[in-house]
Amino acid sequence: MMDEDDDGARVGVWVTVGVITLLLFGLIGGLAIRQFHKGADKGMAPKPGAAAMAPAATADAVLDGPIRGDLLTQIFFESGSAELPAAAAEAVAVAGVALGQAPASAKLVLSGFHDASGDPAKNAELAKQRAKALRAAFVAAGLEDTRVLMRKPESTQANGKAEAARRVEVHLVN
């Protein structure tokens, strides 16, 4: 596809591969650190700086009400799972760039969806866990946690596609 004399295109490809690799390492490292801290929470000793992290807990609050902003991307999850799919790294990069170019008051709002079948409370909790997993990926990628908010989980219509019930939408809100 690329002409051997086209060094600019070659450099562009390697830069793109490098950025994606760095994002993936950041995401994986952030998730590993989060898991480590979860284990420390269950252990005997409190985490250092736990008092300083109290404001971050309010960032986990779930917003209610309509979203007025641009839909940046949608992440589709496997059935019954809150584990981030491989496509999440690209979505994190795209949304991070969009947030970086937006005014300082702009925020990302994550909205998890679930279907109406089964236990509504369990489905809503799974949708919330999916949004939390994506939020953790944004924070691990270097976004401020106060700029990544979550919205109350929503139920999809019964006549929609099955994968639409397993998605998290990312909106840029000013």
Side-chain angles (χ1 to χ4, degrees):
M1 281 181 127
M2 288 192 289
D3 188 17
E4 289 189 14
D5 294 332
D6 193 1
D7 290 334
R10 188 174 308 148
V11 169
V13 168
W14 281 109
V15 168
T16 303
V17 169
V19 168
I20 291 172
T21 302
L22 286 173
L23 285 172
L24 286 174
F25 280 126
L27 174 65
I28 292 168
L31 292 175
I33 290 170
R34 184 172 182 203
Q35 287 299 102
F36 176 77
H37 286 292
K38 279 184 181 179
D41 286 343
K42 293 178 184 178
M44 283 145 262
K47 286 191 293 187
M53 294 179 63
T58 59
D60 281 343
V62 177
L63 304 174
D64 201 359
I67 297 176
R68 289 182 173 80
D70 298 327
L71 176 64
L72 295 178
T73 188
Q74 298 179 48
I75 308 299
F76 297 94
F77 289 77
E78 293 295 321
S79 180
S81 173
E83 184 177 327
L84 286 175
E90 183 180 342
V92 167
V94 168
V97 168
L99 185 62
Q101 294 174 347
S105 62
K107 298 182 183 330
L108 294 178
V109 178
L110 311 179
S111 184
F113 287 80
H114 60 88
D115 66 8
S117 67
D119 183 2
K122 286 182 181 178
N123 289 343
E125 183 59 29
L126 181 58
K128 184 177 176 182
Q129 292 305 317
R130 289 172 174 159
K132 279 184 157 187
L134 187 56
R135 182 177 186 280
F138 281 119
V139 172
L143 299 180
E144 296 175 41
D145 62 344
T146 57
R147 294 187 73 190
V148 184
L149 307 174
M150 295 190 316
R151 186 167 182 267
K152 183 179 176 184
E154 297 182 55
S155 180
T156 59
Q157 301 299 321
N159 59 356
K161 291 184 177 181
E163 76 173 356
R166 301 185 310 263
R167 76 183 188 276
V168 174
E169 292 183 347
V170 180
H171 292 264
L172 180 64
V173 179
N174 288 322

PDB file of all heavy atoms in Angstrom, residues 104-135:
ATOM      1  N   ALA A 104     -12.490  24.504  29.300  1.00  0.00           N
ATOM      2  CA  ALA A 104     -12.192  23.889  30.595  1.00  0.00           C
ATOM      3  C   ALA A 104     -13.452  23.487  31.363  1.00  0.00           C
ATOM      4  O   ALA A 104     -13.405  22.611  32.219  1.00  0.00           O
ATOM      5  CB  ALA A 104     -11.345  24.837  31.445  1.00  0.00           C
ATOM      6  N   SER A 105     -14.573  24.111  31.049  1.00  0.00           N
ATOM      7  CA  SER A 105     -15.819  23.777  31.742  1.00  0.00           C
ATOM      8  C   SER A 105     -16.492  22.526  31.179  1.00  0.00           C
ATOM      9  O   SER A 105     -17.423  21.995  31.780  1.00  0.00           O
ATOM     10  CB  SER A 105     -16.792  24.952  31.656  1.00  0.00           C
ATOM     11  OG  SER A 105     -17.113  25.209  30.293  1.00  0.00           O
ATOM     12  N   ALA A 106     -16.028  22.043  30.033  1.00  0.00           N
ATOM     13  CA  ALA A 106     -16.641  20.870  29.398  1.00  0.00           C
ATOM     14  C   ALA A 106     -16.345  19.611  30.200  1.00  0.00           C
ATOM     15  O   ALA A 106     -15.325  19.497  30.872  1.00  0.00           O
ATOM     16  CB  ALA A 106     -16.127  20.716  27.976  1.00  0.00           C
ATOM     17  N   LYS A 107     -17.273  18.663  30.116  1.00  0.00           N
ATOM     18  CA  LYS A 107     -17.138  17.391  30.821  1.00  0.00           C
ATOM     19  C   LYS A 107     -17.588  16.257  29.909  1.00  0.00           C
ATOM     20  O   LYS A 107     -18.349  16.458  28.974  1.00  0.00           O
ATOM     21  CB  LYS A 107     -17.998  17.403  32.085  1.00  0.00           C
ATOM     22  CG  LYS A 107     -17.581  18.465  33.084  1.00  0.00           C
ATOM     23  CD  LYS A 107     -18.430  18.411  34.321  1.00  0.00           C
ATOM     24  CE  LYS A 107     -18.134  19.475  35.329  1.00  0.00           C
ATOM     25  NZ  LYS A 107     -16.852  20.005  35.459  1.00  0.00           N
ATOM     26  N   LEU A 108     -17.087  15.074  30.211  1.00  0.00           N
ATOM     27  CA  LEU A 108     -17.593  13.872  29.556  1.00  0.00           C
ATOM     28  C   LEU A 108     -18.652  13.279  30.470  1.00  0.00           C
ATOM     29  O   LEU A 108     -18.446  13.177  31.687  1.00  0.00           O
ATOM     30  CB  LEU A 108     -16.477  12.854  29.347  1.00  0.00           C
ATOM     31  CG  LEU A 108     -15.369  13.225  28.386  1.00  0.00           C
ATOM     32  CD1 LEU A 108     -14.319  12.117  28.339  1.00  0.00           C
ATOM     33  CD2 LEU A 108     -15.913  13.490  26.994  1.00  0.00           C
ATOM     34  N   VAL A 109     -19.771  12.892  29.903  1.00  0.00           N
ATOM     35  CA  VAL A 109     -20.832  12.239  30.671  1.00  0.00           C
ATOM     36  C   VAL A 109     -21.023  10.846  30.093  1.00  0.00           C
ATOM     37  O   VAL A 109     -21.277  10.691  28.901  1.00  0.00           O
ATOM     38  CB  VAL A 109     -22.152  13.041  30.637  1.00  0.00           C
ATOM     39  CG1 VAL A 109     -23.246  12.309  31.390  1.00  0.00           C
ATOM     40  CG2 VAL A 109     -21.952  14.436  31.207  1.00  0.00           C
ATOM     41  N   LEU A 110     -20.878   9.842  30.953  1.00  0.00           N
ATOM     42  CA  LEU A 110     -21.001   8.444  30.547  1.00  0.00           C
ATOM     43  C   LEU A 110     -22.379   7.944  30.951  1.00  0.00           C
ATOM     44  O   LEU A 110     -22.801   8.123  32.092  1.00  0.00           O
ATOM     45  CB  LEU A 110     -19.930   7.602  31.230  1.00  0.00           C
ATOM     46  CG  LEU A 110     -18.499   8.140  31.157  1.00  0.00           C
ATOM     47  CD1 LEU A 110     -17.551   7.208  31.893  1.00  0.00           C
ATOM     48  CD2 LEU A 110     -18.071   8.318  29.719  1.00  0.00           C
ATOM     49  N   SER A 111     -23.052   7.295  30.033  1.00  0.00           N
ATOM     50  CA  SER A 111     -24.395   6.794  30.290  1.00  0.00           C
ATOM     51  C   SER A 111     -24.472   5.325  29.896  1.00  0.00           C
ATOM     52  O   SER A 111     -24.346   4.982  28.724  1.00  0.00           O
ATOM     53  CB  SER A 111     -25.405   7.619  29.486  1.00  0.00           C
ATOM     54  OG  SER A 111     -26.720   7.222  29.778  1.00  0.00           O
ATOM     55  N   GLY A 112     -24.665   4.452  30.892  1.00  0.00           N
ATOM     56  CA  GLY A 112     -24.787   3.019  30.648  1.00  0.00           C
ATOM     57  C   GLY A 112     -26.219   2.633  30.331  1.00  0.00           C
ATOM     58  O   GLY A 112     -27.157   3.224  30.848  1.00  0.00           O
ATOM     59  N   PHE A 113     -26.366   1.637  29.488  1.00  0.00           N
ATOM     60  CA  PHE A 113     -27.695   1.163  29.091  1.00  0.00           C
ATOM     61  C   PHE A 113     -27.837  -0.318  29.396  1.00  0.00           C
ATOM     62  O   PHE A 113     -26.847  -1.043  29.455  1.00  0.00           O
ATOM     63  CB  PHE A 113     -27.920   1.392  27.586  1.00  0.00           C
ATOM     64  CG  PHE A 113     -28.131   2.834  27.231  1.00  0.00           C
ATOM     65  CD1 PHE A 113     -27.052   3.687  27.111  1.00  0.00           C
ATOM     66  CD2 PHE A 113     -29.401   3.324  27.034  1.00  0.00           C
ATOM     67  CE1 PHE A 113     -27.236   5.010  26.790  1.00  0.00           C
ATOM     68  CE2 PHE A 113     -29.601   4.661  26.707  1.00  0.00           C
ATOM     69  CZ  PHE A 113     -28.508   5.502  26.591  1.00  0.00           C
ATOM     70  N   HIS A 114     -29.089  -0.741  29.579  1.00  0.00           N
ATOM     71  CA  HIS A 114     -29.405  -2.161  29.801  1.00  0.00           C
ATOM     72  C   HIS A 114     -30.782  -2.438  29.228  1.00  0.00           C
ATOM     73  O   HIS A 114     -31.545  -1.518  28.955  1.00  0.00           O
ATOM     74  CB  HIS A 114     -29.344  -2.522  31.293  1.00  0.00           C
ATOM     75  CG  HIS A 114     -30.304  -1.744  32.140  1.00  0.00           C
ATOM     76  ND1 HIS A 114     -31.598  -2.152  32.357  1.00  0.00           N
ATOM     77  CD2 HIS A 114     -30.156  -0.582  32.811  1.00  0.00           C
ATOM     78  CE1 HIS A 114     -32.210  -1.279  33.145  1.00  0.00           C
ATOM     79  NE2 HIS A 114     -31.352  -0.307  33.430  1.00  0.00           N
ATOM     80  N   ASP A 115     -31.079  -3.717  29.031  1.00  0.00           N
ATOM     81  CA  ASP A 115     -32.395  -4.042  28.491  1.00  0.00           C
ATOM     82  C   ASP A 115     -33.405  -4.242  29.618  1.00  0.00           C
ATOM     83  O   ASP A 115     -33.058  -4.216  30.788  1.00  0.00           O
ATOM     84  CB  ASP A 115     -32.338  -5.247  27.554  1.00  0.00           C
ATOM     85  CG  ASP A 115     -31.959  -6.535  28.252  1.00  0.00           C
ATOM     86  OD1 ASP A 115     -31.885  -6.562  29.487  1.00  0.00           O
ATOM     87  OD2 ASP A 115     -31.727  -7.532  27.545  1.00  0.00           O
ATOM     88  N   ALA A 116     -34.653  -4.424  29.223  1.00  0.00           N
ATOM     89  CA  ALA A 116     -35.738  -4.531  30.196  1.00  0.00           C
ATOM     90  C   ALA A 116     -35.966  -5.965  30.667  1.00  0.00           C
ATOM     91  O   ALA A 116     -36.774  -6.195  31.560  1.00  0.00           O
ATOM     92  CB  ALA A 116     -37.023  -3.982  29.584  1.00  0.00           C
ATOM     93  N   SER A 117     -35.248  -6.944  30.116  1.00  0.00           N
ATOM     94  CA  SER A 117     -35.463  -8.329  30.534  1.00  0.00           C
ATOM     95  C   SER A 117     -34.675  -8.626  31.795  1.00  0.00           C
ATOM     96  O   SER A 117     -33.662  -7.998  32.081  1.00  0.00           O
ATOM     97  CB  SER A 117     -35.050  -9.289  29.414  1.00  0.00           C
ATOM     98  OG  SER A 117     -33.652  -9.226  29.228  1.00  0.00           O
ATOM     99  N   GLY A 118     -35.133  -9.584  32.567  1.00  0.00           N
ATOM    100  CA  GLY A 118     -34.419  -9.973  33.783  1.00  0.00           C
ATOM    101  C   GLY A 118     -34.667  -9.021  34.936  1.00  0.00           C
ATOM    102  O   GLY A 118     -35.614  -8.234  34.933  1.00  0.00           O
ATOM    103  N   ASP A 119     -33.812  -9.094  35.933  1.00  0.00           N
ATOM    104  CA  ASP A 119     -33.931  -8.288  37.145  1.00  0.00           C
ATOM    105  C   ASP A 119     -33.482  -6.847  36.851  1.00  0.00           C
ATOM    106  O   ASP A 119     -32.305  -6.614  36.563  1.00  0.00           O
ATOM    107  CB  ASP A 119     -33.061  -8.895  38.243  1.00  0.00           C
ATOM    108  CG  ASP A 119     -33.167  -8.162  39.564  1.00  0.00           C
ATOM    109  OD1 ASP A 119     -33.951  -7.200  39.655  1.00  0.00           O
ATOM    110  OD2 ASP A 119     -32.456  -8.549  40.511  1.00  0.00           O
ATOM    111  N   PRO A 120     -34.389  -5.883  36.934  1.00  0.00           N
ATOM    112  CA  PRO A 120     -34.037  -4.498  36.612  1.00  0.00           C
ATOM    113  C   PRO A 120     -32.912  -3.941  37.499  1.00  0.00           C
ATOM    114  O   PRO A 120     -32.059  -3.206  37.006  1.00  0.00           O
ATOM    115  CB  PRO A 120     -35.337  -3.717  36.844  1.00  0.00           C
ATOM    116  CG  PRO A 120     -36.421  -4.721  36.814  1.00  0.00           C
ATOM    117  CD  PRO A 120     -35.813  -6.014  37.260  1.00  0.00           C
ATOM    118  N   ALA A 121     -32.894  -4.297  38.766  1.00  0.00           N
ATOM    119  CA  ALA A 121     -31.853  -3.787  39.670  1.00  0.00           C
ATOM    120  C   ALA A 121     -30.478  -4.330  39.275  1.00  0.00           C
ATOM    121  O   ALA A 121     -29.491  -3.586  39.256  1.00  0.00           O
ATOM    122  CB  ALA A 121     -32.176  -4.155  41.113  1.00  0.00           C
ATOM    123  N   LYS A 122     -30.408  -5.624  38.946  1.00  0.00           N
ATOM    124  CA  LYS A 122     -29.132  -6.212  38.530  1.00  0.00           C
ATOM    125  C   LYS A 122     -28.668  -5.622  37.202  1.00  0.00           C
ATOM    126  O   LYS A 122     -27.484  -5.352  37.009  1.00  0.00           O
ATOM    127  CB  LYS A 122     -29.249  -7.732  38.413  1.00  0.00           C
ATOM    128  CG  LYS A 122     -29.296  -8.436  39.745  1.00  0.00           C
ATOM    129  CD  LYS A 122     -29.359  -9.934  39.561  1.00  0.00           C
ATOM    130  CE  LYS A 122     -29.437 -10.643  40.901  1.00  0.00           C
ATOM    131  NZ  LYS A 122     -29.538 -12.098  40.747  1.00  0.00           N
ATOM    132  N   ASN A 123     -29.601  -5.429  36.273  1.00  0.00           N
ATOM    133  CA  ASN A 123     -29.254  -4.853  34.977  1.00  0.00           C
ATOM    134  C   ASN A 123     -28.739  -3.420  35.130  1.00  0.00           C
ATOM    135  O   ASN A 123     -27.760  -3.039  34.496  1.00  0.00           O
ATOM    136  CB  ASN A 123     -30.459  -4.873  34.032  1.00  0.00           C
ATOM    137  CG  ASN A 123     -30.798  -6.261  33.561  1.00  0.00           C
ATOM    138  OD1 ASN A 123     -29.994  -7.184  33.666  1.00  0.00           O
ATOM    139  ND2 ASN A 123     -31.998  -6.425  33.040  1.00  0.00           N
ATOM    140  N   ALA A 124     -29.410  -2.637  35.975  1.00  0.00           N
ATOM    141  CA  ALA A 124     -28.981  -1.260  36.203  1.00  0.00           C
ATOM    142  C   ALA A 124     -27.595  -1.234  36.851  1.00  0.00           C
ATOM    143  O   ALA A 124     -26.750  -0.406  36.496  1.00  0.00           O
ATOM    144  CB  ALA A 124     -29.992  -0.515  37.064  1.00  0.00           C
ATOM    145  N   GLU A 125     -27.343  -2.144  37.779  1.00  0.00           N
ATOM    146  CA  GLU A 125     -26.026  -2.201  38.426  1.00  0.00           C
ATOM    147  C   GLU A 125     -24.947  -2.594  37.423  1.00  0.00           C
ATOM    148  O   GLU A 125     -23.844  -2.031  37.450  1.00  0.00           O
ATOM    149  CB  GLU A 125     -26.049  -3.190  39.598  1.00  0.00           C
ATOM    150  CG  GLU A 125     -24.743  -3.263  40.361  1.00  0.00           C
ATOM    151  CD  GLU A 125     -24.289  -1.954  40.972  1.00  0.00           C
ATOM    152  OE1 GLU A 125     -25.129  -1.103  41.311  1.00  0.00           O
ATOM    153  OE2 GLU A 125     -23.056  -1.772  41.113  1.00  0.00           O
ATOM    154  N   LEU A 126     -25.241  -3.521  36.534  1.00  0.00           N
ATOM    155  CA  LEU A 126     -24.272  -3.905  35.502  1.00  0.00           C
ATOM    156  C   LEU A 126     -23.988  -2.720  34.572  1.00  0.00           C
ATOM    157  O   LEU A 126     -22.835  -2.453  34.229  1.00  0.00           O
ATOM    158  CB  LEU A 126     -24.776  -5.110  34.700  1.00  0.00           C
ATOM    159  CG  LEU A 126     -23.846  -5.629  33.606  1.00  0.00           C
ATOM    160  CD1 LEU A 126     -22.483  -6.024  34.170  1.00  0.00           C
ATOM    161  CD2 LEU A 126     -24.487  -6.818  32.905  1.00  0.00           C
ATOM    162  N   ALA A 127     -25.023  -1.982  34.185  1.00  0.00           N
ATOM    163  CA  ALA A 127     -24.829  -0.794  33.342  1.00  0.00           C
ATOM    164  C   ALA A 127     -23.963   0.236  34.062  1.00  0.00           C
ATOM    165  O   ALA A 127     -23.087   0.866  33.463  1.00  0.00           O
ATOM    166  CB  ALA A 127     -26.180  -0.190  32.961  1.00  0.00           C
ATOM    167  N   LYS A 128     -24.178   0.388  35.353  1.00  0.00           N
ATOM    168  CA  LYS A 128     -23.376   1.328  36.150  1.00  0.00           C
ATOM    169  C   LYS A 128     -21.924   0.855  36.244  1.00  0.00           C
ATOM    170  O   LYS A 128     -20.997   1.656  36.114  1.00  0.00           O
ATOM    171  CB  LYS A 128     -23.975   1.461  37.549  1.00  0.00           C
ATOM    172  CG  LYS A 128     -23.270   2.477  38.415  1.00  0.00           C
ATOM    173  CD  LYS A 128     -23.971   2.610  39.763  1.00  0.00           C
ATOM    174  CE  LYS A 128     -23.237   3.547  40.681  1.00  0.00           C
ATOM    175  NZ  LYS A 128     -23.887   3.628  41.995  1.00  0.00           N
ATOM    176  N   GLN A 129     -21.710  -0.449  36.420  1.00  0.00           N
ATOM    177  CA  GLN A 129     -20.348  -0.986  36.504  1.00  0.00           C
ATOM    178  C   GLN A 129     -19.617  -0.810  35.164  1.00  0.00           C
ATOM    179  O   GLN A 129     -18.406  -0.550  35.145  1.00  0.00           O
ATOM    180  CB  GLN A 129     -20.369  -2.467  36.910  1.00  0.00           C
ATOM    181  CG  GLN A 129     -20.830  -2.702  38.336  1.00  0.00           C
ATOM    182  CD  GLN A 129     -20.022  -1.918  39.350  1.00  0.00           C
ATOM    183  OE1 GLN A 129     -18.806  -1.830  39.270  1.00  0.00           O
ATOM    184  NE2 GLN A 129     -20.716  -1.334  40.309  1.00  0.00           N
ATOM    185  N   ARG A 130     -20.326  -0.934  34.072  1.00  0.00           N
ATOM    186  CA  ARG A 130     -19.720  -0.706  32.754  1.00  0.00           C
ATOM    187  C   ARG A 130     -19.277   0.752  32.617  1.00  0.00           C
ATOM    188  O   ARG A 130     -18.174   1.032  32.151  1.00  0.00           O
ATOM    189  CB  ARG A 130     -20.715  -1.067  31.652  1.00  0.00           C
ATOM    190  CG  ARG A 130     -20.943  -2.558  31.536  1.00  0.00           C
ATOM    191  CD  ARG A 130     -22.077  -2.876  30.584  1.00  0.00           C
ATOM    192  NE  ARG A 130     -22.185  -4.313  30.391  1.00  0.00           N
ATOM    193  CZ  ARG A 130     -23.272  -4.922  29.957  1.00  0.00           C
ATOM    194  NH1 ARG A 130     -24.342  -4.224  29.634  1.00  0.00           N
ATOM    195  NH2 ARG A 130     -23.292  -6.236  29.815  1.00  0.00           N
ATOM    196  N   ALA A 131     -20.143   1.672  33.040  1.00  0.00           N
ATOM    197  CA  ALA A 131     -19.786   3.092  32.979  1.00  0.00           C
ATOM    198  C   ALA A 131     -18.604   3.385  33.901  1.00  0.00           C
ATOM    199  O   ALA A 131     -17.709   4.155  33.550  1.00  0.00           O
ATOM    200  CB  ALA A 131     -20.994   3.955  33.346  1.00  0.00           C
ATOM    201  N   LYS A 132     -18.579   2.759  35.080  1.00  0.00           N
ATOM    202  CA  LYS A 132     -17.462   2.953  36.013  1.00  0.00           C
ATOM    203  C   LYS A 132     -16.155   2.422  35.427  1.00  0.00           C
ATOM    204  O   LYS A 132     -15.105   3.031  35.599  1.00  0.00           O
ATOM    205  CB  LYS A 132     -17.739   2.251  37.347  1.00  0.00           C
ATOM    206  CG  LYS A 132     -18.632   3.018  38.276  1.00  0.00           C
ATOM    207  CD  LYS A 132     -18.751   2.264  39.589  1.00  0.00           C
ATOM    208  CE  LYS A 132     -19.129   3.186  40.701  1.00  0.00           C
ATOM    209  NZ  LYS A 132     -19.092   2.510  42.000  1.00  0.00           N
ATOM    210  N   ALA A 133     -16.210   1.295  34.747  1.00  0.00           N
ATOM    211  CA  ALA A 133     -15.008   0.734  34.132  1.00  0.00           C
ATOM    212  C   ALA A 133     -14.471   1.679  33.056  1.00  0.00           C
ATOM    213  O   ALA A 133     -13.258   1.904  32.964  1.00  0.00           O
ATOM    214  CB  ALA A 133     -15.306  -0.640  33.535  1.00  0.00           C
ATOM    215  N   LEU A 134     -15.371   2.245  32.270  1.00  0.00           N
ATOM    216  CA  LEU A 134     -14.949   3.189  31.238  1.00  0.00           C
ATOM    217  C   LEU A 134     -14.422   4.471  31.871  1.00  0.00           C
ATOM    218  O   LEU A 134     -13.419   5.026  31.433  1.00  0.00           O
ATOM    219  CB  LEU A 134     -16.107   3.487  30.291  1.00  0.00           C
ATOM    220  CG  LEU A 134     -15.772   4.321  29.064  1.00  0.00           C
ATOM    221  CD1 LEU A 134     -14.656   3.685  28.238  1.00  0.00           C
ATOM    222  CD2 LEU A 134     -17.007   4.513  28.211  1.00  0.00           C
ATOM    223  N   ARG A 135     -15.053   4.911  32.946  1.00  0.00           N
ATOM    224  CA  ARG A 135     -14.584   6.111  33.661  1.00  0.00           C
ATOM    225  C   ARG A 135     -13.172   5.874  34.198  1.00  0.00           C
ATOM    226  O   ARG A 135     -12.308   6.749  34.111  1.00  0.00           O
ATOM    227  CB  ARG A 135     -15.534   6.454  34.800  1.00  0.00           C
ATOM    228  CG  ARG A 135     -15.134   7.705  35.537  1.00  0.00           C
ATOM    229  CD  ARG A 135     -16.153   8.046  36.630  1.00  0.00           C
ATOM    230  NE  ARG A 135     -15.820   9.297  37.220  1.00  0.00           N
ATOM    231  CZ  ARG A 135     -14.874   9.459  38.145  1.00  0.00           C
ATOM    232  NH1 ARG A 135     -14.192   8.430  38.566  1.00  0.00           N
ATOM    233  NH2 ARG A 135     -14.615  10.646  38.648  1.00  0.00           N
TER     234      ARG A 135
END
